[in-house]
Amino acid sequence: MVEPSSEELAACCASRRWIAEVGGRAYADPAALRAASRRALDDLEWADVEEALAAHPRIGDRVGGAAREARWSRGEQAGAAAAPADVQDALIAGNRAYEERFGHVFLIRASGRSALEMLAALRERLGNDPDTERDAVRRELGEIVDLRLARLMEEDA
């Protein structure tokens, strides 16, 4: 049985609604937990997504602290952290432009992506209309939450 605490779930997704929908129950296995997570993410209102976004650092920001979420974020963004200065500068400028255009942090599953891949995605997504971008954000959030739930299960095993 899998029964993550609200604190553990908050490290995966900062939406209080998602935590309330996923938490407080036991799941037969990690796959059942991840399926419940996907359903809950699909049901989130945009305000709930924005709440989750507020907990994510900008791509390229160096996250401090020893908390689980901070450790995961540093690992996820390793590709950006190791990028040459010109790429890091372009990410900073791109983040600024994105936030001005859409009003929230640029969210992308950084795990497994290089800084150049993230920069290319950022530049491409700057051309999205708001509805298309919201769909992209939801997709990326789902991937991040799924990866973090998997990590949580591995750490707790």
Side-chain angles (χ1 to χ4, degrees):
M1 294 299 268
V2 176
E3 190 172 356
S5 69
S6 293
E7 181 180 291
E8 290 172 319
L9 291 172
C12 298
C13 181
S15 164
R16 288 174 293 186
R17 182 170 171 203
W18 178 85
I19 294 167
E21 288 187 27
V22 175
R25 61 190 56 91
Y27 297 92
D29 55 36
L33 169 62
R34 292 165 74 191
S37 168
R38 284 189 293 277
R39 286 190 302 276
L41 286 168
D42 287 345
D43 290 341
L44 294 182
E45 300 292 331
W46 183 248
D48 301 312
V49 173
E50 288 180 313
E51 181 179 34
L53 290 173
H56 284 270
R58 289 178 183 93
I59 294 296
D61 278 0
R62 302 216 192 311
V63 179
R68 178 179 274 159
E69 184 178 3
R71 284 186 290 110
W72 286 347
S73 186
R74 283 191 298 274
E76 291 163 356
Q77 291 203 35
D86 62 323
V87 175
Q88 289 183 6
D89 290 345
L91 282 167
I92 291 167
N95 280 323
R96 225 178 283 123
Y98 182 94
E99 289 174 22
E100 287 174 18
R101 174 151 167 67
F102 296 109
H104 56 79
V105 69
F106 171 70
L107 188 73
I108 189 167
R109 176 194 40 80
S111 292
R113 288 182 169 141
S114 71
L116 286 174
E117 289 171 312
M118 289 184 276
L119 180 58
L122 189 155
R123 288 177 171 161
E124 180 181 329
R125 286 174 49 192
L126 274 168
N128 285 346
D129 63 78
D131 288 337
T132 301
E133 186 52 25
R134 283 183 176 193
D135 289 343
V137 167
R138 285 178 176 278
R139 218 173 16 261
E140 295 293 335
L141 180 61
E143 290 181 22
I144 293 165
V145 172
D146 197 56
L147 284 171
R148 288 182 173 189
L149 284 172
R151 281 190 194 110
L152 178 66
M153 297 301 101
E154 289 170 6
E155 286 182 5
D156 289 351

